PDB file of all heavy atoms in Angstrom:
ATOM      1  N   PRO A  52      13.639  11.100  -9.928  1.00 98.00           N
ATOM      2  CA  PRO A  52      13.382   9.695  -9.371  1.00 98.00           C
ATOM      3  C   PRO A  52      14.022   9.476  -8.089  1.00 98.00           C
ATOM      4  O   PRO A  52      13.432   8.873  -7.195  1.00 98.00           O
ATOM      5  CB  PRO A  52      13.988   8.842 -10.516  1.00 98.00           C
ATOM      6  CG  PRO A  52      13.780   9.622 -11.755  1.00 98.00           C
ATOM      7  CD  PRO A  52      13.996  11.035 -11.320  1.00 98.00           C
ATOM      8  N   LYS A  53      15.286   9.989  -7.841  1.00 98.00           N
ATOM      9  CA  LYS A  53      15.954   9.663  -6.460  1.00 98.00           C
ATOM     10  C   LYS A  53      15.068  10.201  -5.331  1.00 98.00           C
ATOM     11  O   LYS A  53      14.753   9.515  -4.392  1.00 98.00           O
ATOM     12  CB  LYS A  53      17.359  10.226  -6.441  1.00 98.00           C
ATOM     13  CG  LYS A  53      18.077   9.941  -5.207  1.00 98.00           C
ATOM     14  CD  LYS A  53      19.531  10.312  -5.250  1.00 98.00           C
ATOM     15  CE  LYS A  53      20.293   9.910  -4.049  1.00 98.00           C
ATOM     16  NZ  LYS A  53      19.877  10.568  -2.790  1.00 98.00           N
ATOM     17  N   GLN A  54      14.682  11.479  -5.410  1.00 98.00           N
ATOM     18  CA  GLN A  54      13.906  12.125  -4.352  1.00 98.00           C
ATOM     19  C   GLN A  54      12.522  11.462  -4.358  1.00 98.00           C
ATOM     20  O   GLN A  54      11.907  11.226  -3.251  1.00 98.00           O
ATOM     21  CB  GLN A  54      13.811  13.618  -4.526  1.00 98.00           C
ATOM     22  CG  GLN A  54      13.253  14.265  -3.242  1.00 98.00           C
ATOM     23  CD  GLN A  54      12.812  15.711  -3.413  1.00 98.00           C
ATOM     24  OE1 GLN A  54      12.933  16.260  -4.599  1.00 98.00           O
ATOM     25  NE2 GLN A  54      12.345  16.372  -2.431  1.00 98.00           N
ATOM     26  N   PHE A  55      11.964  11.118  -5.482  1.00 98.00           N
ATOM     27  CA  PHE A  55      10.660  10.541  -5.555  1.00 98.00           C
ATOM     28  C   PHE A  55      10.649   9.197  -4.746  1.00 98.00           C
ATOM     29  O   PHE A  55       9.774   8.959  -3.997  1.00 98.00           O
ATOM     30  CB  PHE A  55      10.283  10.342  -7.010  1.00 98.00           C
ATOM     31  CG  PHE A  55       8.862   9.989  -7.206  1.00 98.00           C
ATOM     32  CD1 PHE A  55       7.888  10.950  -7.539  1.00 98.00           C
ATOM     33  CD2 PHE A  55       8.430   8.617  -7.171  1.00 98.00           C
ATOM     34  CE1 PHE A  55       6.551  10.573  -7.765  1.00 98.00           C
ATOM     35  CE2 PHE A  55       7.118   8.305  -7.380  1.00 98.00           C
ATOM     36  CZ  PHE A  55       6.177   9.260  -7.691  1.00 98.00           C
ATOM     37  N   ARG A  56      11.719   8.398  -4.987  1.00 98.00           N
ATOM     38  CA  ARG A  56      11.767   7.081  -4.339  1.00 98.00           C
ATOM     39  C   ARG A  56      11.897   7.271  -2.798  1.00 98.00           C
ATOM     40  O   ARG A  56      11.311   6.568  -1.996  1.00 98.00           O
ATOM     41  CB  ARG A  56      12.965   6.277  -4.781  1.00 98.00           C
ATOM     42  CG  ARG A  56      12.755   5.764  -6.206  1.00 98.00           C
ATOM     43  CD  ARG A  56      13.902   4.710  -6.502  1.00 98.00           C
ATOM     44  NE  ARG A  56      15.293   5.260  -6.523  1.00 98.00           N
ATOM     45  CZ  ARG A  56      15.802   5.836  -7.582  1.00 98.00           C
ATOM     46  NH1 ARG A  56      15.184   6.008  -8.725  1.00 98.00           N
ATOM     47  NH2 ARG A  56      17.131   6.255  -7.457  1.00 98.00           N
ATOM     48  N   GLU A  57      12.702   8.332  -2.393  1.00 98.00           N
ATOM     49  CA  GLU A  57      12.809   8.626  -0.921  1.00 98.00           C
ATOM     50  C   GLU A  57      11.479   8.967  -0.368  1.00 98.00           C
ATOM     51  O   GLU A  57      11.111   8.534   0.765  1.00 98.00           O
ATOM     52  CB  GLU A  57      13.864   9.698  -0.699  1.00 98.00           C
ATOM     53  CG  GLU A  57      15.278   9.282  -0.994  1.00 98.00           C
ATOM     54  CD  GLU A  57      16.237  10.482  -1.127  1.00 98.00           C
ATOM     55  OE1 GLU A  57      15.868  11.633  -0.998  1.00 98.00           O
ATOM     56  OE2 GLU A  57      17.434  10.195  -1.391  1.00 98.00           O
ATOM     57  N   LEU A  58      10.789   9.824  -1.056  1.00 98.00           N
ATOM     58  CA  LEU A  58       9.474  10.230  -0.531  1.00 98.00           C
ATOM     59  C   LEU A  58       8.441   9.125  -0.490  1.00 98.00           C
ATOM     60  O   LEU A  58       7.662   9.020   0.491  1.00 98.00           O
ATOM     61  CB  LEU A  58       8.900  11.404  -1.468  1.00 98.00           C
ATOM     62  CG  LEU A  58       9.600  12.718  -1.369  1.00 98.00           C
ATOM     63  CD1 LEU A  58       9.309  13.624  -2.560  1.00 98.00           C
ATOM     64  CD2 LEU A  58       9.264  13.398  -0.017  1.00 98.00           C
ATOM     65  N   VAL A  59       8.474   8.223  -1.479  1.00 98.00           N
ATOM     66  CA  VAL A  59       7.527   7.088  -1.439  1.00 98.00           C
ATOM     67  C   VAL A  59       7.864   6.228  -0.220  1.00 98.00           C
ATOM     68  O   VAL A  59       6.958   5.770   0.531  1.00 98.00           O
ATOM     69  CB  VAL A  59       7.661   6.255  -2.717  1.00 98.00           C
ATOM     70  CG1 VAL A  59       6.900   4.873  -2.652  1.00 98.00           C
ATOM     71  CG2 VAL A  59       7.097   7.066  -3.920  1.00 98.00           C
ATOM     72  N   ARG A  60       9.153   5.989   0.008  1.00 98.00           N
ATOM     73  CA  ARG A  60       9.560   5.213   1.171  1.00 98.00           C
ATOM     74  C   ARG A  60       9.120   5.868   2.477  1.00 98.00           C
ATOM     75  O   ARG A  60       8.509   5.175   3.315  1.00 98.00           O
ATOM     76  CB  ARG A  60      11.077   5.113   1.079  1.00 98.00           C
ATOM     77  CG  ARG A  60      11.654   4.301   2.161  1.00 98.00           C
ATOM     78  CD  ARG A  60      13.211   4.331   2.042  1.00 98.00           C
ATOM     79  NE  ARG A  60      13.821   3.515   3.058  1.00 98.00           N
ATOM     80  CZ  ARG A  60      13.997   3.892   4.285  1.00 98.00           C
ATOM     81  NH1 ARG A  60      13.540   5.128   4.646  1.00 98.00           N
ATOM     82  NH2 ARG A  60      14.546   3.076   5.231  1.00 98.00           N
ATOM     83  N   GLU A  61       9.299   7.201   2.624  1.00 98.00           N
ATOM     84  CA  GLU A  61       8.978   7.767   3.818  1.00 98.00           C
ATOM     85  C   GLU A  61       7.429   7.853   4.097  1.00 98.00           C
ATOM     86  O   GLU A  61       6.957   7.623   5.170  1.00 98.00           O
ATOM     87  CB  GLU A  61       9.532   9.204   3.862  1.00 98.00           C
ATOM     88  CG  GLU A  61      11.076   9.294   3.881  1.00 98.00           C
ATOM     89  CD  GLU A  61      11.667  10.607   3.344  1.00 98.00           C
ATOM     90  OE1 GLU A  61      10.836  11.486   3.053  1.00 98.00           O
ATOM     91  OE2 GLU A  61      12.871  10.715   3.345  1.00 98.00           O
ATOM     92  N   LEU A  62       6.751   8.183   2.919  1.00 98.00           N
ATOM     93  CA  LEU A  62       5.243   8.191   3.101  1.00 98.00           C
ATOM     94  C   LEU A  62       4.688   6.849   3.446  1.00 98.00           C
ATOM     95  O   LEU A  62       3.713   6.731   4.221  1.00 98.00           O
ATOM     96  CB  LEU A  62       4.662   8.728   1.719  1.00 98.00           C
ATOM     97  CG  LEU A  62       4.813  10.220   1.538  1.00 98.00           C
ATOM     98  CD1 LEU A  62       4.659  10.558   0.072  1.00 98.00           C
ATOM     99  CD2 LEU A  62       3.671  10.935   2.358  1.00 98.00           C
ATOM    100  N   ALA A  63       5.302   5.806   2.900  1.00 98.00           N
ATOM    101  CA  ALA A  63       4.825   4.457   3.170  1.00 98.00           C
ATOM    102  C   ALA A  63       4.968   4.143   4.668  1.00 98.00           C
ATOM    103  O   ALA A  63       4.054   3.581   5.300  1.00 98.00           O
ATOM    104  CB  ALA A  63       5.593   3.404   2.323  1.00 98.00           C
ATOM    105  N   ILE A  64       6.117   4.610   5.210  1.00 98.00           N
ATOM    106  CA  ILE A  64       6.294   4.292   6.737  1.00 98.00           C
ATOM    107  C   ILE A  64       5.193   5.077   7.491  1.00 98.00           C
ATOM    108  O   ILE A  64       4.590   4.513   8.369  1.00 98.00           O
ATOM    109  CB  ILE A  64       7.742   4.791   7.140  1.00 98.00           C
ATOM    110  CG1 ILE A  64       8.751   3.933   6.447  1.00 98.00           C
ATOM    111  CG2 ILE A  64       7.840   4.693   8.667  1.00 98.00           C
ATOM    112  CD1 ILE A  64      10.240   4.453   6.722  1.00 98.00           C
ATOM    113  N   LEU A  65       5.071   6.298   7.135  1.00 98.00           N
ATOM    114  CA  LEU A  65       4.057   7.103   7.939  1.00 98.00           C
ATOM    115  C   LEU A  65       2.674   6.590   7.814  1.00 98.00           C
ATOM    116  O   LEU A  65       1.934   6.495   8.797  1.00 98.00           O
ATOM    117  CB  LEU A  65       4.086   8.612   7.445  1.00 98.00           C
ATOM    118  CG  LEU A  65       5.460   9.370   7.765  1.00 98.00           C
ATOM    119  CD1 LEU A  65       5.478  10.643   7.001  1.00 98.00           C
ATOM    120  CD2 LEU A  65       5.611   9.548   9.289  1.00 98.00           C
TER     121      LEU A  65
END
Side-chain angles (χ1 to χ4, degrees):
K53 181 173 187 293
Q54 191 193 2
F55 193 93
R56 289 192 296 274
E57 288 165 3
L58 288 164
V59 169
R60 181 181 180 284
E61 292 161 2
L62 282 159
I64 295 172
L65 294 169

